Amino acid sequence: MTGDITPPHEERIDPREGAVDAARVEELLETLPVNPDGGPDSTPPAEGPGAPEAAGAVPDAADSSADRVSQLEAELASVRSENESLKGQYMRIAADFDNFRKRQSRDKEDQRLHITCTTLTEILPVVDNFDRARQQLNPQSEEAQSLHRSYQNLYKQLVDVFKQLGVSPMRVEGEPFDPSLHEAVLREPSEEHPEDVVIEELQRGYHLDGRVLRHALVKVSMGPGPAGGFRSDASAPPSEGTSD
C-alpha cells in the first residue's frame, strides 16, 4: 500500500518550521550598533533598570565623597567656633566669680571693721573718764589709795583689751597740725612753738589698725605774737609848749 504514512514513533515536522524570515533578519541587523570599523558592535547592551547610570557611577561616588568631606570640615569649624565661644564665656564667668568672691571678702572685712569701730567709739568715753580720774585724784589715805589702785587695775585691763584689738593712742603734742588726724579746738599765740604746731592735747585720739578711730582734739599754735607793744606814759617824750 502506498501513500503518506507516518510511523507512530515519529512526529510530523512542519515543512515551514526552521525557515528563516529574511525581513526579520534585516530588522535585527539594523538595530545592532555599528563599530567605527564598519562592523557590528559586539558589546552587549546594558541590562537592568540601573544600567544607563553605570557609566557615571565612579564620578558620582567621588563627588559624594568630596561633599561629605566638605560637610565634615564645616561641622568641625562650627564645633571649634562654639568651643571658643564657650571657653570665652567660661573665662568671663570665672573672672566674675573671682571678683565677686574678693568683693564679698572685702565687704565682710569692712563690715567687721565698721562694727568694731562703732563699738570701740562708744567705749572710748569710759576710757577718757578713767584717764581724767587718774590725773586729777591724789589719794592720801591708805583706803583711798587701795580704791585708786583697784580702778586703775580695771583701767589697765581695758587698755590691754584695746591693744589686743589693734587700738593705739595718738601722740600729737609738738607735731604739725594734720586735719586728717587732729581737730583744732583752740588757737593761741606761742613763743615756744611755730605756727600750726599742736601745743596741747585736749582729748586723746586713737588709731585702729592704721585708720583713724577718733580724731584728737587739740590746741594749735598761732606762732609768736606781734613784736613789741605800746609804750607806757612814763617813757613817752614830754609834750612841746609846756613850761615850768
Side-chain angles (χ1 to χ4, degrees):
M1 183 172 72
T2 63
D4 187 8
I5 299 174
T6 303
H9 61 276
E10 294 181 0
E11 296 179 355
R12 181 178 296 273
I13 298 176
D14 189 354
R16 295 174 298 175
E17 188 174 346
V20 178
D21 189 351
R24 178 60 178 167
V25 171
E26 291 180 359
E27 181 180 355
L28 290 176
L29 290 176
E30 291 177 357
T31 57
L32 292 176
V34 181
N35 285 331
D37 297 337
D41 190 1
S42 60
T43 304
E47 298 180 357
E53 299 179 358
V58 175
D60 290 345
D63 293 342
S64 177
S65 177
D67 293 342
R68 181 59 178 167
V69 170
S70 300
Q71 181 180 1
L72 291 177
E73 289 178 351
E75 292 179 358
L76 178 60
S78 176
V79 170
R80 286 179 176 175
S81 177
E82 184 178 359
N83 180 60
E84 291 296 329
S85 177
L86 292 176
K87 184 178 179 181
Q89 292 180 8
Y90 168 77
M91 296 297 293
R92 287 192 296 271
I93 292 174
D96 291 341
F97 178 76
D98 187 59
N99 293 334
F100 171 77
R101 181 179 57 81
K102 292 179 180 179
R103 185 170 58 252
Q104 286 292 103
S105 178
R106 184 171 58 252
D107 293 345
K108 184 178 180 181
E109 180 63 22
D110 291 343
Q111 185 178 11
R112 185 194 66 81
L113 189 60
H114 175 72
I115 294 174
T116 302
C117 290
T118 303
T119 304
L120 293 177
T121 302
E122 296 296 329
I123 301 176
L124 284 178
V126 179
V127 179
D128 295 337
N129 292 332
F130 272 108
D131 195 27
R132 293 190 189 100
R134 181 178 60 83
Q135 294 175 2
Q136 295 177 3
L137 294 180
N138 187 16
Q140 299 296 330
S141 64
E142 182 65 26
E143 182 178 359
Q145 290 181 1
S146 177
L147 180 62
H148 180 73
R149 286 192 297 269
S150 297
Y151 72 75
Q152 286 303 312
N153 288 333
L154 181 60
Y155 170 74
K156 183 177 181 301
Q157 292 179 2
L158 187 59
V159 171
D160 290 340
V161 171
F162 270 57
K163 289 181 179 179
Q164 293 176 4
L165 294 175
V167 179
S168 59
M170 296 181 185
R171 304 299 179 186
V172 297
E173 291 187 5
E175 297 293 328
F177 176 74
D178 186 352
S180 63
L181 301 175
H182 313 139
E183 183 178 348
V185 178
L186 297 173
R187 294 176 64 89
E188 65 179 26
S190 174
E191 298 292 337
E192 299 178 357
H193 299 88
E195 186 178 4
D196 289 336
V197 172
V198 177
I199 301 175
E200 183 181 351
E201 181 184 59
L202 304 178
Q203 179 177 278
R204 181 166 295 177
Y206 291 90
H207 289 291
L208 175 61
D209 293 332
R211 62 185 299 175
V212 177
L213 178 61
R214 188 180 72 180
H215 290 75
L217 303 182
V218 297
K219 182 190 297 184
V220 183
S221 171
M222 296 175 60
F230 294 104
R231 289 178 292 179
S232 62
D233 293 339
S235 60
S239 58
E240 297 180 355
T242 59
S243 60
D244 296 338

